[in-house]
Amino acid sequence: MSETHLSPLAGKPVPRSLLTNIPRLMTAYFAQTPDPAIPTQKVAFGTSGHRGSAFSSAFNEWHILAITQAVCLYRSHAGITGPLFIGMDTHALSEAALASAIEVLAANGVETRIDEHLGYTPTPVISHAILTYNRGRTEGLADGIVISPSHNPPDDGGFKYNPPNGGPADVDVTSWIGKAANEFLAAKLDGVKRLPYARAIGEACIRRYDYITPYVADLGSVIDMEAIRGAGVKIGIDPLGGAAVRYWEPMIERYKLDATVVNDVVDPTFSFMTADWDGKIRMDCSSPSAMAPLIALRDKFDIAFANDTDADRHGIVTPSGGLMNPNQFLAASIAYLCAHRPDWKKTSAFGKTAVSSGMIDRVVAKMGRKLVEVPVGFKWFSAGLIDGSLAFGGEESAGASFLRRDGAVWTTDKDGIILGLLAAEITAKTGGDPNQLYQSVTADLGKSYYARIDAPATSEQKAILGKLDPSKIDADELAGEKVTARLTRAPGNDASIGGIKVTTENGWFAARPSGTEEVYKIYAESFLSADHLAQIQADARAVVAKVFGAG
């Protein structure tokens, strides 16, 4: 997020005048028809599926009908014949999109599993359901759909496909689905099979499914729930009005936890949120502004945590330090897991994205383990988590997952629920909170100064940045230090990072175009000082400006 232009509303209750008009939003979903000749109204899969607002004709009924039919075609193309697990979050458009998807799935005869009460289903629960069903199978494999725009504002919708590996679909799959969906849009939905909702919901292939019980019952295989209960860790939980809201009470009851859900309200306007840094509503559990209410309760609990709307991200609030920086919690988690998962293979690596903190590299090295650095996007971790070559995968945006205690795969999509519970396990087993663990683990590793800022960029400039040749970067120095690497591909898997990363001995920056806004993101870190970080950021802007000028 940008720290430089904080809104006067940041961290404060949102005025009612700024709340989304939900009836008008729903009318836009059903009444507005996207024009596929306009790029912003086409189906476009970013790092986390197709997203947009119905108000801007970027997420409307036609989009979902077209994408779902394209998913049905892809399943036939790929020979996927098992059930499709589908879930939605608490955004208003998610409910409408689920209905649209069911109409198409039923018409295509796809065996579909929906929540037994038509309730909300977190992203990691869909991944867990897919992997649990597919365990031991070689044919008739399951896949899934997640309907969520993550932490995005209340007027946004999101639609993501997870193939049988349980994680986010890779570029080849999303390109295939996106191309087919846009062809359906151009043909005014000719070729899209559809049943009226009242009939579709009653079709034999649309089956009600208990998502909560299997996931909750299995948590002891990935988290030491007995240790949390035994230590009497006092836990505060804020679902931020999201899809995990009905999962916590069954969990608390089953494992006899001393935990309190501080807010169980579900409201599509998200009127209970405090405004994010720019005055908008986002259920961003890594934002101090959005997390202000839970941070205010830090002294009432031994540990507190929140999840974003589809519960694939985590925000950890400690008594000793308030809201933890996501990078710091990832580093602390890795250090703890290395020491408290004896059944994990010592050869299993720890994964991070190219824009995550270099402190993670230092912690992994200190623990004597291997680091794998990949581009942004959790899909890059899925294969490694399945075969056990990766024990943990984490992103700087507060998304992570890791293996079961016996070293088997848990989820291949981000799981904010287990990361929150891991914070409680750390507190139970170490006698201190995760912030205290981070401070002790990194005391001899230097101090990290890390920040992400956004800068304006046109569509043309973003395209230049996303396809940059590293030879076009002629900077030999960065903030007074010799450049040691200029990267456009991730060292862990040689996949494009969709931007650039420039490193020195004591710092680095990465620049990537945003997939949803007319900005590019600068991630930067210094291990020297805040002033050195500021100089890295200034030099980064100059490097990118020169690239734009040449382009």
Side-chain angles (χ1 to χ4, degrees):
M1 66 180 171
S2 173
E3 299 284 353
T4 53
H5 299 101
L6 276 181
S7 164
L9 293 175
K12 298 177 182 177
V14 180
R16 295 196 63 82
S17 60
L18 295 184
L19 299 181
T20 298
N21 184 323
I22 300 300
R24 190 166 294 168
L25 178 69
M26 305 317 296
T27 299
Y29 175 82
F30 289 106
Q32 291 183 201
T33 302
D35 182 351
I38 301 174
T40 57
Q41 296 183 23
K42 296 176 69 172
V43 171
F45 281 85
T47 53
S48 295
H50 174 79
R51 292 184 184 177
S53 172
F55 289 140
S56 56
S57 296
F59 192 95
N60 305 83
E61 182 183 37
W62 275 34
H63 290 109
I64 305 311
L65 297 172
I67 296 171
T68 308
Q69 184 63 53
V71 167
C72 293
L73 292 182
Y74 176 76
R75 295 180 97 243
S76 297
H77 167 76
I80 300 168
T81 57
L84 182 141
F85 293 90
I86 188 168
M88 65 174 175
D89 77 357
T90 54
H91 279 77
L93 288 174
S94 297
E95 188 103 25
L98 177 65
S100 299
I102 287 172
E103 292 178 352
V104 176
L105 292 167
N108 283 273
V110 174
E111 184 182 336
T112 303
R113 306 281 173 87
I114 61 175
D115 180 79
E116 61 179 345
H117 303 298
L118 292 182
Y120 310 109
T121 310
T123 286
V125 175
I126 294 293
S127 181
H128 179 269
I130 294 169
L131 292 171
T132 300
Y133 183 88
N134 289 341
R135 188 179 301 135
R137 298 176 188 267
T138 56
E139 57 185 27
L141 299 179
D143 55 358
I145 289 173
V146 175
I147 305 176
S148 168
S150 187
H151 63 289
N152 282 21
D155 65 335
D156 272 15
F159 202 86
K160 184 176 74 171
Y161 175 67
N162 284 31
N165 72 3
D170 64 25
V171 176
D172 289 344
V173 175
T174 56
S175 296
W176 197 102
I177 294 171
K179 181 175 182 291
N182 282 317
E183 288 172 355
F184 284 127
L185 288 184
K188 301 188 184 304
L189 301 185
D190 183 34
V192 173
K193 298 179 182 178
R194 182 184 186 189
L195 292 176
Y197 181 76
R199 179 181 163 192
I201 196 68
E203 288 290 298
C205 63
I206 307 296
R207 296 175 55 185
R208 305 292 180 110
Y209 180 76
D210 176 8
Y211 279 106
I212 295 178
T213 302
Y215 179 85
V216 170
D218 207 12
L219 280 168
S221 72
V222 69
I223 296 291
D224 192 343
M225 304 297 279
E226 281 298 309
I228 299 172
R229 182 194 59 77
V233 178
K234 193 173 184 180
I235 306 168
I237 303 165
D238 191 344
L240 298 183
V245 66
R246 301 291 174 247
Y247 282 70
W248 292 113
E249 289 303 336
M251 197 183 306
I252 292 167
E253 183 177 343
R254 173 181 282 269
Y255 296 103
K256 304 296 187 286
L257 303 180
D258 183 5
T260 303
V261 177
V262 302
N263 175 25
D264 64 357
V265 175
V266 175
D267 167 14
T269 68
F270 295 90
S271 59
F272 51 81
M273 290 294 299
T274 49
D276 204 0
W277 63 273
D278 57 356
K280 294 183 179 181
I281 297 177
R282 290 189 191 86
M283 287 55 71
D284 184 352
C285 47
S286 64
S287 164
S289 299
M291 287 280 282
L294 190 60
I295 295 170
L297 300 177
R298 60 190 269 191
D299 294 329
K300 294 183 179 293
F301 302 101
D302 298 320
I303 193 72
F305 51 82
N307 297 124
D308 67 338
T309 328
D310 67 325
D312 69 345
R313 301 189 191 200
H314 56 273
I316 310 300
V317 177
T318 65
S320 69
L323 180 65
M324 286 191 75
N325 176 286
N327 283 300
Q328 294 181 0
F329 183 64
L330 294 181
S333 297
I334 289 169
Y336 174 82
L337 291 167
C338 284
H340 292 84
R341 292 296 185 269
D343 292 335
W344 283 7
K345 293 185 295 186
K346 301 299 184 199
T347 54
S348 294
F350 288 75
K352 63 163 246 187
T353 53
V355 298
S356 300
S357 171
M359 185 61 82
I360 294 171
D361 306 50
R362 297 185 180 197
V363 168
V364 171
K366 180 177 180 177
M367 305 308 291
R369 306 299 283 263
K370 178 186 175 184
L371 180 86
V372 173
E373 182 174 318
V374 301
V376 172
F378 205 80
K379 62 191 174 190
W380 302 110
F381 299 127
S382 298
L385 289 169
I386 285 179
D387 66 20
S389 60
L390 276 183
F392 177 101
E395 298 187 295
E396 58 79 35
S397 55
S401 190
F402 50 89
L403 299 179
R404 296 170 186 262
R405 293 158 71 186
D406 67 1
V409 64
W410 169 252
T411 62
T412 47
D413 215 328
K414 301 186 288 282
D415 191 337
I417 295 173
I418 66 164
L419 269 296
L421 293 170
L422 180 65
E425 182 186 328
I426 290 171
T427 304
K429 296 290 282 282
T430 68
D433 66 40
N435 177 62
Q436 292 169 320
L437 175 62
Y438 175 80
Q439 300 302 332
S440 64
V441 166
T442 62
D444 59 345
L445 299 179
K447 183 174 181 180
S448 162
Y449 300 86
Y450 178 101
R452 192 198 94 188
I453 57 176
D454 296 344
T458 65
S459 299
E460 293 77 12
Q461 289 172 330
K462 286 164 55 179
I464 291 169
L465 189 56
K467 299 178 180 178
L468 188 63
D469 180 339
S471 67
K472 302 295 184 184
I473 308 167
D474 58 7
D476 294 321
E477 283 194 353
L478 179 66
E481 290 194 305
K482 183 180 178 182
V483 168
T484 55
R486 303 173 186 84
L487 305 172
T488 56
R489 308 190 75 80
N493 61 358
D494 197 40
S496 171
I497 62 176
I500 57 172
K501 182 174 182 179
V502 178
T503 67
T504 67
E505 181 181 358
N506 293 296
W508 60 271
F509 84 84
R512 297 177 59 249
S514 167
T516 56
E517 300 174 272
E518 294 301 288
V519 299
Y520 72 94
K521 304 172 189 293
I522 295 177
Y523 309 79
E525 184 173 30
S526 167
F527 281 92
L528 295 180
S529 67
D531 288 343
H532 186 239
L533 171 65
Q535 187 58 54
I536 290 175
Q537 291 171 323
D539 287 0
R541 287 178 182 271
V543 168
V544 174
K546 191 170 183 179
V547 166
F548 287 163

